[in-house]
Amino acid sequence: MKLPLIKCNDLTKVYKMGQSEVYALNGVSLEITKGEFVAIIGSSGSGKSTLMNMLGGLDKPSSGEIRINGENLSTMSGKKLAQFRNVTIGFVFQQFQLLPKKTAHKNVSLPLQYRRPKPDNIDASVKKGLEMVGLADRAAHRPTELSGGQQQRVAIARALVGNPQVLLADEPTGALDSKTSEAIMTLLQDLNRQGITIIVITHEDEVAAYAERVIEFRDGEIISDHIKKAA
Amino acid sequence: MSPLTTLGLAASSLIERPLRTLLTSLGIIIGVAAVYAMLSIGEGTKREVEKQLSSMASRSFTIWPDWNRRRTSQSKPSFPFKESDVEEIRNIAGVFAATGSLQRNSTTISTEIGDTTANFLGVDPDYLKSGGQEMLAGENISYTDIEQSAPVVVISDGIQKTLFKNQDPIGLPIKVNNITFTVKGVTTAPDSNISFGGNADMFVWAPTSSARNRIIGGNPYVRNHIRSIRVIGDIGANFPQIEQEINIIMRRSRDIKTGAPPDYRIFSSRGWQERNAKSQKTISYLLAAMGAISLLVGGVGVMNIMLVSVTERTREIGLRMAMGAQKSDIMSQFLAEALLICVLSGLIGLGAGYGLSQISLGSEEIKMVFSSKIALLSFGSALLIGVIFGFLPARRAARLNPIEALRHE
């Protein structure tokens, strides 16, 4: 049994809505091992996005503990968290979140610009990243000159360029048609086979079907956690 | 993120929005140009005033007997001055020249070549200095000439041209009211600020004694009298002090009782020139304030556009934070943008201001001066504006919550 890469212990997140308190997360405990392909599913408001923000170091739990790679995120300073996001996490968003005026190459290089110390082979890393998503010939294109699927590939290349421990994808196919979605999920599957830990947040069962492990959320709690037998 | 990368990021963001960048910088450009122009007009004016204040005219006092005084039981008639008065005044500290003179206007001067009308003056050697004049040929009137009542004269350039044509006049005879003198020297016309109208370049000087004895005649009350005294102070001398000492000397010499009104007058253009300088100074402060206000307005424009930019790029900021940008990275990115726009427009504004000052060089009314101090000051204020007005938007950007920023529409 491998050591867990991610370990969540009794996580809660409470939002105050006027007089009442709303639990976005209510005592979530979870372990994810290196190399897993996990889908977190649930309807909107189930707490899956809150969990993802916490795993990505963008949000802190009201109580409980998250450890990723042995580091306790709940007690990290803002500066440390920023560094953690840069080094350990690769984000993929539903709306791609590419900078519209920059080329694919520039977009992909973004995480490396914030890496300390500054890496000296940024261009080579970016090229490799674009190759991994099959867009080496689109490096000089701006997002507006690319299709939705291509844009999401650029975003995936950007998430991978810094060699993160975990790739966090929030509804990566939410803005794509079914055929393109398939291609993106197949790409993620391929990347997972190369050893990258991937966590996909989705509300679609078809998307979750690509993952090895499916964790279902409802009302801030885990209601099921299946690991698929290798087909 | 390295400072160079930050700068590059700021530069590319400005280039990506060319029209906005141009319009925003316009405010700063005009502001800096205005500050620069106003300060250099102020400086130019200041130098002009200083030049005026150090000119002969503004350093001079002219002392005349008070002709308007009537003979009453309380006061004596207003006598002319004595040569000894002039000597005493010459010894006051800070006096550059003091001279006493006699004058007879419209005197007929003639030589073999022709005749003309000119002012005839009896002078001492200091008269040359006090008029800012120079000898063109020959020698000035000397004290020996005065002692010996020598029949010699110094003539003006104008007289030489009229009455001697191409001859060398030194040693040649010249007639003043038909009395023969010998030409001893030729001098330039006086400083245009010191002579009062008339035919400034037509005059003949004789030693005071010979002028009195041969042409003008003595005074029944005062031996060795002179008509007026001109005093020139050193540059930067204490003029009120000099005036006070002149008063002490004159009152003693003329035996005026303490508290009694003086029977002479001291004329000086210094008073109104100093007032003039003061009002010029006020005007230049006013101009600089106007420049500063336009720079301020430009700065508000920068802040406004930076705030818009932060709002517009909220998602970009969220994304950069998710990718690992520190708060300080975001802060410096936007601060660098504001600074860059201010520095660039500052430079352009400086160029524009300098261009204006070059154009104004040909103008008589406006004197602008290029000085690195002024350039530095107006450029520095642009830099300051960038920091001050860039800070708030940059801080707002750095304080965004990445999750909300990413969701921003």
Side-chain angles (χ1 to χ4, degrees), chain B residues 176-395:
Chain B
V176 178
N177 270 4
N178 272 327
I179 294 167
T180 305
F181 288 78
T182 307
V183 176
K184 191 188 181 196
V186 181
T187 182
T188 54
D191 189 309
S192 61
N193 289 318
I194 218 156
S195 69
F196 305 100
N199 211 346
D201 195 27
M202 296 297 273
F203 58 84
V204 172
W205 297 346
T208 42
S209 51
S210 2
R212 196 184 296 120
N213 299 341
R214 292 165 202 261
I215 308 290
I216 294 169
N219 184 282
Y221 304 101
V222 180
R223 222 175 98 78
N224 292 344
H225 80 283
I226 48 174
R227 185 160 167 250
S228 68
I229 300 174
R230 189 158 75 195
V231 182
I232 310 285
D234 286 329
I235 293 172
N238 184 347
F239 289 88
Q241 174 77 26
I242 291 175
E243 187 168 344
Q244 202 185 333
E245 290 193 36
I246 292 173
N247 273 316
I248 292 170
I249 291 166
M250 297 311 289
R251 291 179 83 94
R252 184 169 4 94
S253 161
R254 298 165 82 78
D255 198 19
I256 299 168
K257 291 193 176 61
T258 312
D263 64 349
Y264 59 90
R265 286 183 159 195
I266 301 178
F267 297 91
S268 164
S269 62
R270 194 157 188 92
W272 70 261
Q273 267 173 341
E274 274 172 351
R275 277 193 297 281
N276 196 24
K278 211 169 170 183
S279 71
Q280 299 262 35
K281 209 171 182 178
T282 312
I283 289 171
S284 68
Y285 281 145
L286 208 69
L287 291 177
M290 276 167 62
I293 287 170
S294 53
L295 193 57
L296 201 71
V297 172
V300 171
V302 168
M303 177 144 93
N304 190 23
I305 218 68
M306 289 308 295
L307 283 173
V308 170
S309 179
V310 169
T311 307
E312 211 179 55
R313 287 153 71 189
T314 299
R315 267 168 64 158
E316 176 189 329
I317 295 162
L319 174 74
R320 285 180 185 277
M321 285 176 160
M323 297 289 130
Q326 313 267 2
K327 280 187 192 307
S328 59
D329 289 327
I330 301 294
M331 179 99 189
S332 39
Q333 179 186 341
F334 282 90
L335 209 52
E337 219 173 293
L339 264 179
L340 194 65
I341 205 165
C342 287
V343 165
L344 291 179
S345 358
L347 286 175
I348 298 172
L350 219 54
Y354 182 71
L356 275 179
S357 68
Q358 290 304 301
I359 292 170
S360 83
L361 285 183
S363 142
E364 282 292 316
E365 289 81 20
I366 307 168
K367 294 278 180 222
M368 281 171 87
V369 172
F370 174 78
S371 104
S372 49
K373 200 178 88 188
I374 291 174
L376 222 63
L377 195 67
S378 31
F379 185 66
S381 45
L383 214 68
L384 200 67
I385 288 284
V387 175
I388 292 172
F389 290 97
F391 181 76
L392 192 77
R395 198 182 59 171

Side-chain angles (χ1 to χ4, degrees), chain B residues 60-138:
Chain B
S60 78
F61 300 98
T62 313
I63 311 163
W64 294 90
D66 192 346
W67 304 122
N68 295 330
R69 275 173 66 91
R70 275 176 301 168
R71 187 198 283 254
T72 66
S73 53
Q74 282 87 26
S75 60
K76 296 180 202 164
S78 194
F79 294 125
F81 305 122
K82 299 178 230 164
E83 278 180 3
S84 59
D85 296 340
V86 182
E87 276 156 39
E88 274 190 77
I89 289 170
R90 196 174 289 142
N91 289 330
I92 298 173
V95 166
F96 171 73
T99 183
S101 61
L102 296 153
Q103 185 162 357
R104 188 175 195 272
N105 295 339
S106 308
T107 309
T108 305
I109 314 286
S110 57
T111 61
E112 288 169 355
I113 290 176
D115 60 80
T116 183
T117 306
N119 293 338
F120 175 76
L121 292 96
V123 303
D124 59 32
D126 254 17
Y127 199 84
L128 180 80
K129 220 161 67 157
S130 75
Q133 285 155 275
E134 278 167 22
M135 295 305 295
L136 290 172

